[in-house]
Amino acid sequence: MTAGEMISQNVSTCSSPSDLRITDMRFVDIDGAPKRNTILKLYTNQGLCGFGEVRDGSSKTYALMLKSRILGENPCNVDKIFHKIKQFGGPSRQGGGVSAIEMALWDLAGKAYGVPLYQLLGGKFRDKIRVYCDTDVEGRHTGRDMGRALKERMERGFTFLKMDLGIGLLMDEPGTLTAPLGLLDDMKKYAPHILNVQGGSVTRDMVSHQRSYQLVTTAHPFTGIHVTEKGLDRLEQYVAEIRDEIGYEVPLAVDHFGHVCVEDAIRFARRMEKYNLAWIEDMIPWMYTEQWKRLKASTCIPVCTGEDIYLKEGFKALIDADAVSMLHPDIMTCGGALELRKICSYADEHGVACALHMAGSPVACMATAHVAAALHNVMAMECHSADVPWWEDMAIGLPRPLIENGFINLSEKPGLGFDDLNEELLREHINPKIPGLWEPTDQWNTEFSNDRIWS
């Protein structure tokens, strides 16, 4: 079917894109995909619905507070609405509301005009998107165990790998870590997420408990944790065992090192250089530009950050300072699809590589894939759900299989590229602590504040 035929067909069910208006916003919270994911649904006066996704571990309140500001708007005016709401976003999960709405607006605009999202972003450079497969091994394990898990990914066709590697591996080995006495015990008791990243996002219990909140929100330079030479020996042995299993031909990136200072990050990086890592990710918080410059200048391993940065401006500071080798933006935090395209285009102009972070449902996955298709240069995008058998089934009308031989097959359907969500399946996986499927949110229809940021 040609684009013109698609538009003609779509107009028969949608009387006029210029008369399209947003009438409602509702949600469903899914658990175990593999994280907690909040899917947003925008309704219109012409029967079209658009889907977006709030960042994993975030709160739908970040989107709900914006409902009154977008009701009655034409969703096809994506950039206009984005400029209206972007002041209410921020780093990490604070960007979840703005980004989810922006994503849903593009879904509606694509459906209204009968074209896929990538076409609205300027067309595509590629038909399929390389996926790197994040890999976890639960509990106490060796590099051999992780290597075998990664090898299984390769046998399934994945051509790019990533794993977690950090101080969590050292917690039960005496002499590998130095820290203020009692601190590591407190971390094990109150904030295991810092040490066991497979556990998923920070939980409600961690946030509500004063001691865990303090631990979780203490940034790397201020923890007083250091890795000893014995600890570095242990981590090096772990990676050497992995390379023995998977070889050196396949790219291997690492993430979630732990909350240690930049000096220890430099020591670790130098130890890892012989293992040809694709990148080391988020070794220090993204906002410490000068520390990123030090790290980048101290190692030949590419250094990468970005999943918690909101808007192009945050990325621009790192790029302009020549502080990073790679960027790793997340469509659910950075401000949505168009902002993601702007970020990656600016990086491309300055010779900085991009890989796209994505730990969401098929909604965020397809939105990310469409942006990746429209980018001049993109290395790969993340898949965090390879071990969730029902993950692809959450959306109806996707290419099947969605991920084949390590690549996402891009859909040509309008908007984000799927027909609808599988509500029967969603009901089976609703977060029991946040029940309900597309429940009314009328109490947010009249939310008000003076949005002007100047007097």
Side-chain angles (χ1 to χ4, degrees):
M1 183 182 296
T2 67
E5 289 171 336
M6 293 172 70
I7 292 173
S8 176
Q9 181 187 59
N10 197 258
V11 170
S12 68
T13 58
C14 173
S15 58
S16 172
S18 62
D19 295 326
L20 196 62
R21 297 292 183 270
I22 299 168
T23 58
D24 205 356
M25 175 196 295
R26 300 190 181 191
F27 299 84
V28 61
D29 288 271
I30 304 301
D31 202 19
K35 299 177 180 290
R36 176 170 68 82
N37 303 105
T38 301
I39 300 173
L40 173 151
K41 186 176 184 179
L42 290 184
Y43 297 75
T44 70
N45 60 336
Q46 297 177 15
L48 290 181
C49 292
F51 296 100
E53 185 167 345
V54 181
R55 175 84 185 269
D56 60 280
S58 184
S59 169
K60 58 189 170 189
T61 302
Y62 289 121
L64 281 165
M65 63 179 286
L66 304 176
K67 182 182 179 183
S68 63
R69 294 168 172 85
I70 68 172
L71 287 176
E73 291 277 9
N74 185 334
C76 299
N77 296 325
V78 181
D79 206 25
K80 172 192 172 186
I81 298 173
F82 177 71
H83 276 76
K84 187 176 185 179
I85 65 176
K86 73 174 184 177
Q87 65 171 292
F88 299 101
S92 190
R93 274 67 188 175
Q94 297 175 40
V98 172
S99 303
I101 290 171
E102 199 264 9
M103 199 185 306
L105 295 175
W106 283 118
D107 193 26
L108 283 168
K111 289 172 179 174
Y113 288 102
V115 294
L117 172 55
Y118 75 77
Q119 195 66 64
L120 296 172
L121 296 175
K124 60 183 177 179
F125 285 91
R126 55 195 61 83
D127 295 318
K128 57 183 183 179
I129 315 303
R130 188 186 304 276
V131 174
Y132 72 79
C133 191
D134 214 331
T135 304
D136 298 330
V137 175
E138 298 288 348
R140 189 175 176 86
H141 64 280
T142 67
R144 297 286 177 192
D145 298 324
M146 176 59 81
R148 285 189 285 269
L150 291 166
K151 194 68 175 291
E152 185 271 340
R153 299 288 202 233
M154 296 167 66
E155 291 167 354
R156 290 168 60 178
F158 288 99
T159 62
F160 205 118
L161 305 173
K162 193 171 90 168
M163 67 176 185
D164 297 320
L165 173 65
I167 64 174
L169 292 169
L170 307 178
M171 291 301 293
D172 296 320
E173 297 198 25
T176 58
L177 294 173
T178 301
L181 295 180
L183 176 63
L184 298 181
D185 291 332
D186 281 352
M187 290 172 68
K188 292 179 186 179
K189 181 177 180 181
Y190 297 113
H193 167 77
I194 295 177
L195 307 169
N196 178 24
V197 294
Q198 288 88 348
S201 299
V202 174
T203 65
R204 177 188 298 178
D205 292 339
M206 288 183 195
V207 172
S208 62
H209 192 285
Q210 183 176 355
R211 184 66 180 124
S212 63
Y213 188 86
Q214 179 183 356
L215 290 167
V216 168
T217 56
T218 300
H220 303 47
F222 314 114
T223 64
I225 300 172
H226 295 279
V227 185
T228 67
E229 287 298 307
K230 180 180 178 181
L232 292 174
D233 290 342
R234 172 69 182 89
L235 295 175
E236 184 174 349
Q237 177 190 2
Y238 183 88
V239 178
E241 291 174 358
I242 291 170
R243 278 301 190 192
D244 282 345
E245 292 289 333
I246 67 173
Y248 281 79
E249 291 79 13
V250 63
L252 174 64
V254 300
D255 190 12
H256 292 295
F257 184 70
H259 293 191
V260 301
C261 62
V262 65
E263 289 80 8
D264 279 31
I266 291 170
R267 293 170 59 226
F268 167 77
R270 288 173 174 168
R271 283 289 196 104
M272 293 295 115
E273 287 178 350
K274 68 183 73 171
Y275 301 106
N276 203 37
L277 297 180
W279 68 74
I280 48 177
E281 183 177 330
D282 287 327
M283 297 294 292
I284 45 183
W286 63 268
M287 69 285 291
Y288 298 134
T289 303
E290 292 301 315
Q291 292 191 25
W292 277 103
K293 288 177 65 175
R294 287 179 59 195
L295 178 60
K296 181 175 182 287
S298 300
T299 181
C300 59
I301 300 176
V303 299
C304 175
T305 191
E307 69 183 72
D308 294 318
I309 302 178
Y310 180 63
L311 301 181
K312 176 183 173 182
E313 288 77 6
F315 292 89
K316 188 175 183 297
L318 287 164
I319 295 170
D320 291 350
D322 193 23
V324 289
S325 317
M326 296 192 58
L327 290 175
H328 198 226
D330 190 310
I331 197 171
M332 294 179 282
T333 283
C334 74
L338 184 56
E339 197 71 10
L340 177 57
R341 189 186 190 287
K342 291 177 181 178
I343 291 161
C344 294
S345 295
Y346 191 77
D348 184 25
E349 293 170 6
H350 291 78
V352 176
C354 285
L356 306 183
H357 183 265
M358 202 294 297
S361 79
V363 176
C365 176
M366 294 310 296
T368 305
H370 276 273
V371 179
L375 294 176
H376 177 220
N377 285 318
V378 62
M379 190 169 292
M381 64 171 278
E382 180 173 9
C383 169
H384 211 92
S385 307
D387 299 321
V388 182
W390 48 270
W391 181 82
E392 285 189 13
D393 298 327
M394 294 171 67
I396 299 169
L398 287 172
R400 300 304 297 266
L402 178 61
I403 301 174
E404 186 174 23
N405 295 323
F407 287 83
I408 283 184
N409 295 306
L410 197 65
S411 171
E412 296 294 328
K413 293 182 178 180
L416 301 186
F418 57 89
D419 300 326
D420 205 344
L421 294 183
N422 184 343
E423 294 189 356
E424 181 179 353
L425 179 64
L426 295 184
R427 290 184 187 278
E428 296 176 10
H429 298 282
I430 290 176
N431 189 324
K433 295 183 179 179
I434 316 175
L437 177 72
W438 315 134
E439 300 296 325
T441 58
D442 293 348
Q443 67 270 31
W444 293 92
N445 289 2
T446 56
E447 174 73 11
F448 170 78
S449 74
N450 182 346
D451 294 352
R452 193 173 65 189
I453 58 176
W454 42 268
S455 295

